[in-house]
Amino acid sequence: MHFHVLRVPTRRLLLSTLSKCKNLILFNPKRTIYALGDESSPLTVEHGQETGLCIGASYSRLKDAKTFLELIELRQSAGAATYRQLQEPLAQSQAQIDQDLVLYLSQAAIANNLPNLLIPFFQLAWKLRVQIDVSVHETIFERLVQARQWQFLQTLLDFCRWKKLQHSSKMLNIQLRVWLHQEAHVRLSMFNVQRYFQSYKLSLDRESYGTLIEASIANQNINQCREIIVQMEAAGFPVNGETYQAILSRMVSMGPNETIEARALRAVQGAKGPLHEAILNSLIRLRSISGDDVAFRRHISLLEQSNIGPGGDSMDGSPLDITTIALLIEHLGRQRDLNGALRLLSLVDEMKLGYTPEIIAHMISVCSRCGNQEVAFDLFARLLFDLPPGRRKRAFKLLRRFGWERHPGDLKDLKPINVHPSVYILNALGMLALRKRGLPAVFWLLELMEATQVTPDDDTARRILHHLNRYQYIEPNVLIAILYRFMSYTSVRGRMRLANIAFHTLLKDHKMASSPRAGWKASATYLSQSRSPDSETHRDYLVKQTFRALGGEQDIKEMKSMPLRAILSSITDSGASQDHATYSLRMFYYARVEKNPKAVEDLYRRMLAVNLQPNAYHIAALIDAYILTGQIEKAREMFSVALSDGIKPQCVLYTMLICAYGDLGEPEKGLAFFRKMLEDEVVPDVASLDAVIRGYFMIKEYTTARKLLDELWTTVLPLDTKPASSVSLKDSMQMLRDQERNLLPLPPAERVSGTTAKQVLQSWRRSSKGNRGKHQVPPTSRHLQLVLGNPFSEKRE
């Protein structure tokens, strides 16, 4: 079936053209938005060249739908048209505009990935005095939640609030869910939420309390979570499986917790149903993240048993649902098992479960980790066949920029998948492209998102920044500029996890600058009178200013860096608490830059006071602070205190103390600490053995060093890698370090040139400053409001 597509480049619409269309597709809203004021281009009707709102000829109220869309165009052409101006064409068409029509068109807009059309739909319905029940609003909002269209959902919720439409508890709970996605923790405090519900004369229900519990855990605030649970029980909602599901759904932000997971498992022991499966799926994911294969397999078996009916057969025809299969593919990605993931993907076809965005995103991530880009690109290309020809051709062209090698004539071999490209899928594909193409792939990824009508989100920014910080040498100013550009999108907000990457880059750059590794000449230059460690450079000033503002020691408004000032202000306004990573970075700052062990210990105690369980990174910062100030025994004392606080010992902590004893010329104490590590059943690595041998090198006891190397080699490496006794000590140490490089999964980092970074940022800046070319980002609600006017400013006559 062919659909007519109305491409409207002007504010005028030839209504006679609409009447000739048997199957109507609404105008491309993006083209309308960016072409206002251009009255020279004529109206054209094409077939399948643009995307739009598809309304089939079988729809029984096609005439009413055409009239409704004509009135929207009339409002755009006449500005804020009055009720009387709209009533005349409505009476002539004899169309009936009611809530059923608005619901149908809204659902069609969401299904066609055009949620920005809902704003003029709601405006016109309100202008025509259409009575819309609360249940219709709830249905539309739930569909937007399922489609994860948070920014448009917030705009529509604001519209209902400003127009003083009737609200229900479900609508208020959806607003809480939007605030949770936005990480607006100030609004999600118990006091503010209770006052929000009271303003509509409604009370909090179990879903409301569940969202508040999720928000408190996501904000790393366990004390607040406990208070919410107490108030929830006092309101008549006892803790049950739904409560544990709310807790487990956000436990990823704090890390696996065996105690809470065991309680959740006991709460649903012997039960069956969707809630039980949801809790087991959350437990499966947490155990996969923690690397506990035994518990992982045990939860899988419990989930399989829950789907077995009385006769011994599967209740739904399959032991696992599509959500569990997606989790299994994600788990296989962590294990870099591409063949196993491909078998699960073929199982989806055999069981006819239907693909989901999560399945495809996890599968692309597996291919990325295993280095098989062709399988990932082929899988993504199968999603593009439903796009209009122009956008599909452009998307294929961008895939070839990423490194896709399939010839255009071989596309017939690909079987289309009926899933629209989502931001989750494109985020996974972007990581693969970054590993292959580096920084230029950032802008290509944004072009691909525009071609598939996808808007980047916080996870897009996080993945890109994390990759650039970890795998490529990039200047802190460039990375901060990239984060600042991402925050120009309405769908990307200042998040603590995004700022943490910028803070880590600043610390890493400061460390590299203060620890030159280019020989004695470079060290002599760095320590010369003109560049002494006491003289504060711009880099030192930026680091100190940032972390002092983060700790509240300096006003954010006094910061010289405008991007950092904007980022920190956004985080402060949201009320987001500092998480594990932020505390770790602040502790390393006071340890390595300020060399203040007391400040580091105060932060450690503060973490315990707010029920944030410290991990190995925080203990490493504590030990580092005392080692750098020469207090080795105090560092060892704090190491023992950390173990008594319930922190699991890590190999890196032992290695730090072994190195410290070696620097003091006491390698025998370092050796004793290495043997203690073996007694504590902590598996050593190559770096810890290297630290032991290095200590004896420094006091020139080469015979002892050789003897210990032969004795301890098998504690870190297989016996077949051990060098022969005839190999010199120097060559043996080189072999040891070569083995360490082979064990590291990280690819070698590449330095990003200043020219490349400048070109990418300039192209990005041009595209967001009004360039109407092909590099535009998808339209957002803010852009749409500029065209249609403020949706809250009109008055009903």
Side-chain angles (χ1 to χ4, degrees):
M1 177 184 296
H2 290 286
F3 287 94
H4 294 280
V5 181
L6 289 162
R7 189 173 61 186
V8 186
T10 70
R11 299 176 68 171
R12 297 178 180 177
L13 177 66
L14 299 183
L15 301 183
S16 58
T17 307
L18 274 171
S19 62
K20 298 177 182 178
C21 295
K22 296 181 179 179
N23 302 300
L24 178 67
I25 295 186
L26 187 60
F27 58 90
N28 181 351
K30 176 186 167 185
R31 185 174 296 277
T32 304
I33 289 172
Y34 290 115
L36 288 178
D38 180 11
E39 302 292 342
S40 60
S41 302
L43 177 69
T44 58
V45 178
E46 300 180 359
H47 296 273
Q49 298 300 316
E50 297 288 344
T51 57
L53 181 60
C54 299
I55 303 175
S58 59
Y59 181 48
S60 58
R61 300 183 58 184
L62 185 60
K63 179 181 178 181
D64 296 341
K66 289 180 181 180
T67 303
F68 188 78
L69 300 179
E70 291 170 6
L71 292 176
I72 289 178
E73 288 298 328
L74 178 61
R75 293 197 68 230
Q76 290 192 16
S77 62
T82 64
Y83 175 71
R84 293 179 181 177
Q85 291 173 330
L86 295 173
Q87 198 66 23
E88 182 178 352
L90 181 61
Q92 292 178 356
S93 63
Q94 298 181 353
Q96 181 183 0
I97 308 299
D98 55 14
Q99 65 175 4
D100 293 336
L101 179 66
V102 176
L103 176 61
Y104 176 83
L105 292 175
S106 300
Q107 291 177 334
I110 298 172
N112 286 271
N113 198 32
L114 293 172
N116 45 3
L117 296 180
L118 297 182
I119 300 172
F121 288 175
F122 273 56
Q123 285 182 318
L124 181 60
W126 180 83
K127 200 72 175 179
L128 294 176
R129 305 175 184 178
V130 177
Q131 296 297 326
I132 299 180
D133 296 337
V134 176
S135 58
V136 174
H137 286 145
E138 292 175 354
T139 303
I140 295 174
F141 293 162
E142 286 179 349
R143 290 289 301 273
L144 286 171
V145 171
Q146 295 171 2
R148 298 182 174 91
Q149 298 288 352
W150 303 104
Q151 53 180 333
F152 301 107
L153 180 56
Q154 180 62 70
T155 304
L156 294 176
L157 287 167
D158 290 340
F159 180 87
C160 294
R161 177 170 57 88
W162 278 76
K163 299 304 182 184
K164 298 181 181 180
L165 303 181
Q166 184 181 356
H167 283 64
S168 65
S169 296
K170 181 174 290 187
M171 290 175 62
L172 299 188
N173 288 331
I174 291 175
Q175 177 66 83
L176 298 184
R177 183 65 56 181
V178 175
W179 286 342
L180 177 59
H181 174 76
Q182 296 173 350
E183 296 186 8
H185 297 292
V186 173
R187 293 180 173 181
L188 286 170
S189 66
M190 177 59 74
F191 174 77
N192 289 335
V193 170
Q194 286 179 339
R195 189 171 63 175
Y196 176 59
F197 272 74
Q198 289 172 1
S199 65
Y200 292 97
K201 298 181 180 181
L202 296 171
S203 302
L204 279 72
D205 56 13
R206 180 177 290 279
E207 184 180 353
S208 310
Y209 285 108
T211 304
L212 291 175
I213 290 172
E214 289 186 45
S216 61
I217 295 177
N219 200 25
Q220 316 279 332
N221 195 335
I222 300 300
N223 292 333
Q224 183 182 2
C225 179
R226 291 172 179 169
E227 294 174 0
I228 293 172
I229 292 177
V230 171
Q231 296 189 34
M232 181 182 70
E233 292 179 330
F237 302 105
V239 175
N240 61 2
E242 293 182 8
T243 309
Y244 283 110
Q245 170 58 17
I247 294 173
L248 292 175
S249 64
R250 295 289 170 172
M251 281 297 294
V252 175
S253 62
M254 299 189 66
N257 187 308
E258 296 180 2
T259 304
I260 295 179
E261 293 173 30
R263 290 178 182 175
L265 191 60
R266 288 196 298 269
V268 294
Q269 197 72 34
K272 294 182 180 181
L275 179 61
H276 179 240
E277 294 179 3
I279 291 178
L280 284 177
N281 282 330
S282 297
L283 292 173
I284 289 169
R285 187 161 188 256
L286 289 170
R287 288 298 94 198
S288 174
I289 293 172
S290 65
D292 189 351
D293 288 339
V294 176
F296 177 84
R297 296 179 183 278
R298 183 169 64 250
H299 295 330
I300 288 289
S301 63
L302 288 174
L303 189 61
E304 291 177 341
Q305 294 173 10
S306 67
N307 281 339
I308 303 300
D313 298 328
S314 174
M315 295 176 64
D316 58 357
S318 62
L320 302 175
D321 61 0
I322 193 67
T323 304
T324 310
I325 292 177
L327 292 173
L328 289 174
I329 292 178
E330 183 183 14
H331 177 72
L332 293 175
R334 294 189 180 97
Q335 297 183 337
R336 291 177 170 80
D337 186 358
L338 178 60
N339 293 329
L342 289 174
R343 286 194 295 270
L344 282 173
L345 192 66
S346 62
L347 184 65
V348 175
D349 287 325
E350 295 174 3
M351 298 167 60
K352 298 181 179 179
L353 295 176
Y355 288 92
T356 63
E358 289 77 13
I359 286 276
I360 297 171
H362 292 328
M363 193 66 216
I364 292 176
S365 298
V366 175
C367 297
S368 177
R369 293 187 178 189
C370 298
N372 194 328
Q373 62 177 5
E374 284 301 312
V375 175
F377 288 144
D378 285 348
L379 183 61
F380 182 78
R382 294 170 62 185
L383 311 178
L384 305 177
F385 288 97
D386 288 338
L387 294 179
R391 293 186 179 274
R392 181 170 65 245
K393 181 179 179 181
R394 183 181 169 196
F396 285 151
K397 183 179 179 180
L398 289 169
L399 283 181
R400 293 187 179 90
R401 280 192 189 178
F402 290 149
W404 191 38
E405 298 179 354
R406 181 178 285 272
H407 191 270
D410 299 335
L411 297 180
K412 296 180 180 179
D413 300 337
L414 300 178
K415 183 180 178 181
I417 297 177
N418 188 23
V419 174
H420 191 279
S422 67
V423 67
Y424 300 98
I425 298 174
L426 282 158
N427 287 344
L429 188 72
M431 294 307 300
L432 176 60
L434 279 170
R435 293 182 180 181
K436 295 297 181 182
R437 298 300 182 185
L439 183 60
V442 174
F443 193 67
W444 297 342
L445 175 64
L446 295 175
E447 284 190 291
L448 185 59
M449 287 185 170
E450 192 277 333
T452 54
Q453 291 187 328
V454 173
T455 306
D457 62 356
D458 300 312
D459 196 45
T460 310
R462 182 192 64 80
R463 287 172 179 249
I464 290 174
L465 294 174
H466 176 74
H467 175 86
L468 296 176
N469 178 44
R470 188 174 186 183
Y471 296 104
Q472 294 186 302
Y473 294 124
I474 187 169
E475 291 290 334
N477 290 334
V478 176
L479 187 134
I480 292 170
I482 292 175
L483 173 57
Y484 187 63
R485 297 308 309 171
F486 267 113
M487 288 180 61
S488 64
Y489 291 93
T490 57
S491 56
V492 179
R493 297 175 178 267
R495 313 277 185 170
M496 186 62 73
R497 57 179 174 269
L498 299 180
N500 286 337
I501 302 175
F503 302 152
H504 183 267
T505 304
L506 288 170
L507 276 182
K508 184 173 69 172
D509 182 70
H510 184 275
K511 178 183 177 182
M512 293 176 64
S514 59
S515 303
R517 301 179 181 179
W520 68 271
K521 288 185 178 180
S523 300
T525 303
Y526 179 77
L527 297 175
S528 64
Q529 187 175 3
S530 62
R531 187 179 169 83
S532 64
D534 297 330
S535 61
E536 188 174 64
T537 63
H538 172 72
R539 178 183 287 107
D540 301 329
Y541 178 76
L542 183 63
V543 170
K544 290 182 179 180
Q545 199 178 48
T546 301
F547 280 92
R548 287 173 181 173
L550 189 61
E553 304 170 19
Q554 179 178 338
D555 190 357
I556 296 175
K557 297 179 181 179
E558 297 178 359
M559 296 184 64
K560 300 297 182 183
S561 173
M562 186 186 71
L564 279 174
R565 186 168 68 241
I567 293 167
L568 287 176
S569 298
S570 176
I571 294 172
T572 303
D573 294 342
S574 70
S577 301
Q578 298 182 12
D579 57 10
H580 282 84
T582 313
Y583 273 101
S584 173
L585 292 167
R586 291 182 62 195
M587 292 169 73
F588 274 113
Y589 163 75
Y590 285 111
R592 294 175 178 174
V593 180
E594 299 282 354
K595 293 182 173 56
N596 187 349
K598 184 179 182 304
V600 179
E601 191 170 345
D602 289 343
L603 285 173
Y604 177 78
R605 299 302 177 192
R606 192 180 304 172
M607 287 187 67
L608 296 176
V610 297
N611 287 302
L612 275 180
Q613 182 67 21
N615 55 33
Y617 289 100
H618 307 98
I619 306 306
L622 265 175
I623 294 174
D624 207 12
Y626 287 112
I627 288 176
L628 290 173
T629 54
Q631 305 178 58
I632 307 301
E633 295 305 321
K634 182 66 175 178
R636 185 160 183 173
E637 178 185 341
M638 290 305 302
F639 175 75
S640 302
V641 170
L643 296 183
S644 65
D645 288 338
I647 297 174
K648 294 182 179 180
Q650 299 286 337
C651 177
V652 64
L653 304 179
Y654 292 89
T655 304
M656 293 175 69
L657 289 168
I658 293 171
C659 287
Y661 284 122
D663 293 336
L664 288 178
E666 301 176 355
E668 63 280 355
K669 290 186 178 181
L671 176 61
F673 210 64
F674 183 89
R675 297 191 187 282
K676 182 181 183 304
M677 177 168 52
L678 297 175
E679 293 174 1
D680 294 341
E681 298 182 351
V682 177
V683 180
D685 59 5
V686 174
S688 56
L689 178 57
D690 193 335
V692 173
I693 307 303
R694 171 182 168 273
Y696 286 93
F697 258 93
M698 296 181 68
I699 61 174
K700 299 182 180 181
E701 292 190 12
Y702 303 121
T703 304
T704 306
R706 179 58 199 236
K707 179 181 177 182
L708 288 173
L709 183 62
D710 292 339
E711 176 188 348
L712 302 175
W713 184 283
T714 54
T715 61
V716 297
L717 291 171
L719 180 61
D720 57 357
T721 61
K722 183 178 179 180
S725 56
S726 58
V727 180
S728 65
L729 180 59
K730 179 180 177 181
D731 293 339
S732 298
M733 290 300 297
Q734 186 62 43
M735 293 174 62
L736 179 70
R737 289 162 182 166
D738 290 341
Q739 290 291 332
E740 180 184 23
R741 295 189 190 97
N742 294 333
L743 293 173
L744 289 176
L746 303 181
E750 299 178 358
R751 180 174 294 277
V752 178
S753 67
T755 304
T756 302
K758 185 178 180 180
Q759 290 175 349
V760 172
L761 289 173
Q762 282 181 347
S763 300
W764 197 350
R765 196 175 297 114
R766 282 196 300 267
S767 69
S768 60
K769 279 190 175 182
N771 180 16
R772 301 297 181 246
K774 63 180 180 180
H775 300 309
Q776 291 173 343
V777 297
T780 61
S781 59
R782 180 173 60 185
H783 297 143
L784 194 63
Q785 290 176 15
L786 293 176
V787 176
L788 302 178
N790 189 344
F792 316 129
S793 62
E794 300 180 23
K795 296 182 180 180
R796 180 185 294 178
E797 296 181 359

